[in-house]
Amino acid sequence: MGYYTDISNNKDYAAEGTAQLNRMRGASGHTIAGVLLSQTVPSIFMTIASKVADGKGSDKSNETKGSSESSGITELQNKLQSLLNEIGAESENDINEAVSRAQNKRDEKVGEAQDKVNTFIDGTDKYSVKIAELSSQIVEPQNGVELTAEQKAQNDKIYEKIENLKAKKEEAYNKAVADLEEVTKNEDAKVQEKYDKAQEAIEVLEQLKELNKVGEEEIKVEEKTEALADFTKYRKLFSDTNAPAEERIEYGNKLTEIAKANPNDKTIQDAYKMLESQIKALALGKTSQNTQINKRSFGI
């Protein structure tokens, strides 16, 4: 767990009134996970606690101020914990990864639904296979010799079966597309909700950071945090199939650049593997992943 979320569970921190507690490090900005707290520094709560208990307790105004600060910190802490629960993050240090996990889950479910639609495009669905099989049984006239009455009757039966299968194929295709659109809509909404909650969590972290800010000194952001935040942002934009292809290609290029620049970041590398084929296909102009499919392209 992170320091913000651990502090309320440890009563010993309130008694640690030392002047040796270092200021916590965070990050300013508006990206999805622009703050990743270092695991090697103490919590802001410990610092504030030390300010309250550093010998100024005899001054009633300071006591009142300290009590107010503690109350505000507790309120922000509770809000942060609630947001982390909604995001599915174990701590404030897991916000980036939690959103990435949600995107992975989204891509897996959408991918499964897309695969079902793709079977109609490449002709591997069960109806196409059966139609091809029946079509091969149709007897064609040879060397100008007319078909017998029995052959014609047999062909008519086959044609009828094929027409019935085509109708079922169209119905199944329409359902597959509808399912894909529904899954995409639902999964996108889930990712958007976690994305928004993550930004709220970042805002709370920034408020907590301000409580412990020293002057106007800039607080640095870890490189890994910025990279993962940018990857999450561009991944979300790339996944929007309603966006112009040119824009999605550009987002795909950004994702590729980030992945190449961070070869040791497992979260980024795992996520990129799930997107790589789509990024390359879109760059080559193969837009069959889009749900807007022309039925004529596969004989419906």
Side-chain angles (χ1 to χ4, degrees), residues 155-184:
N155 280 352
D156 288 341
K157 290 181 180 180
I158 293 176
Y159 288 136
E160 183 178 359
K161 290 180 179 179
I162 289 176
E163 289 305 311
N164 288 334
L165 285 171
K166 283 185 175 181
K168 291 180 179 180
K169 176 181 177 180
E170 180 172 5
E171 182 180 356
Y173 162 74
N174 288 334
K175 184 179 184 304
V177 170
D179 288 345
L180 171 59
E181 292 174 345
E182 183 68 15
V183 168
T184 301

Side-chain angles (χ1 to χ4, degrees), residues 20-284:
Q20 300 176 354
L21 297 176
N22 296 318
R23 179 175 58 81
M24 75 84 175
R25 295 183 297 169
S28 58
H30 304 287
T31 55
I32 170 88
V35 177
L36 182 62
L37 305 180
S38 171
Q39 294 285 358
T40 63
V41 295
S43 163
I44 188 173
F45 302 112
M46 297 171 64
T47 306
I48 295 297
S50 71
K51 290 181 179 179
V52 175
D54 65 358
K56 299 179 181 179
S58 57
D59 189 315
K60 291 185 178 180
S61 64
N62 285 331
E63 289 181 355
T64 301
K65 182 179 179 180
S67 177
S68 176
E69 285 181 340
S70 297
S71 177
I73 291 169
T74 299
E75 183 178 348
L76 287 173
Q77 181 191 15
N78 290 339
K79 182 177 181 180
L80 174 62
Q81 184 60 65
S82 177
L83 289 168
L84 293 178
N85 291 340
E86 293 182 68
I87 297 167
E90 295 181 0
S91 73
E92 63 269 16
N93 301 300
D94 189 44
I95 293 175
N96 289 319
E97 287 74 8
V99 176
S100 184
R101 289 194 296 270
Q103 290 179 321
N104 287 346
K105 188 174 181 180
R106 176 264 181 206
D107 286 354
E108 287 174 0
K109 290 191 174 183
V110 171
E112 290 173 0
Q114 182 69 63
D115 287 343
K116 292 180 180 179
V117 173
N118 290 345
T119 61
F120 292 94
I121 299 173
D122 57 31
T124 58
D125 65 280
K126 64 180 182 180
Y127 301 103
S128 296
V129 172
K130 186 62 178 177
I131 288 172
E133 180 184 335
L134 289 171
S135 296
S136 67
Q137 297 175 15
I138 296 175
V139 179
E140 301 290 347
Q142 298 292 328
N143 300 322
V145 179
E146 292 188 5
L147 300 179
T148 65
E150 183 179 353
Q151 289 174 323
K152 290 180 179 179
Q154 184 63 29
N155 280 352
D156 288 341
K157 290 181 180 180
I158 293 176
Y159 288 136
E160 183 178 359
K161 290 180 179 179
I162 289 176
E163 289 305 311
N164 288 334
L165 285 171
K166 283 185 175 181
K168 291 180 179 180
K169 176 181 177 180
E170 180 172 5
E171 182 180 356
Y173 162 74
N174 288 334
K175 184 179 184 304
V177 170
D179 288 345
L180 171 59
E181 292 174 345
E182 183 68 15
V183 168
T184 301
K185 178 182 177 181
N186 291 338
E187 293 304 313
D188 282 349
K190 291 178 183 178
V191 170
Q192 184 65 53
E193 182 179 9
K194 289 186 182 295
Y195 190 94
D196 292 342
K197 293 296 182 182
Q199 291 198 23
E200 286 187 52
I202 297 305
E203 291 177 2
V204 173
L205 287 171
E206 289 178 342
Q207 291 178 52
L208 290 167
K209 181 193 69 177
E210 288 299 318
L211 291 176
N212 198 41
K213 187 174 182 180
V214 178
E216 296 300 324
E217 182 181 350
E218 181 180 355
I219 300 176
K220 296 182 179 180
V221 185
E222 293 185 19
E223 185 71 21
K224 175 176 179 290
T225 305
E226 291 180 333
L228 186 52
D230 286 343
F231 190 91
T232 301
K233 177 182 68 176
Y234 288 120
R235 181 180 183 178
K236 181 173 174 291
L237 293 170
F238 177 81
S239 297
D240 182 6
T241 55
N242 292 319
E246 296 78 8
E247 292 184 6
R248 294 187 65 213
I249 289 173
E250 182 60 28
Y251 301 144
N253 291 338
K254 292 288 187 183
L255 292 171
T256 300
E257 290 174 6
I258 295 172
K260 288 182 177 179
N262 297 272
N264 297 321
D265 189 313
K266 188 175 185 302
T267 301
I268 290 178
Q269 293 304 316
D270 288 347
Y272 184 72
K273 287 178 182 178
M274 298 183 68
L275 300 170
E276 188 172 13
S277 62
Q278 297 179 45
I279 292 172
K280 290 181 178 179
L282 189 61
L284 293 172

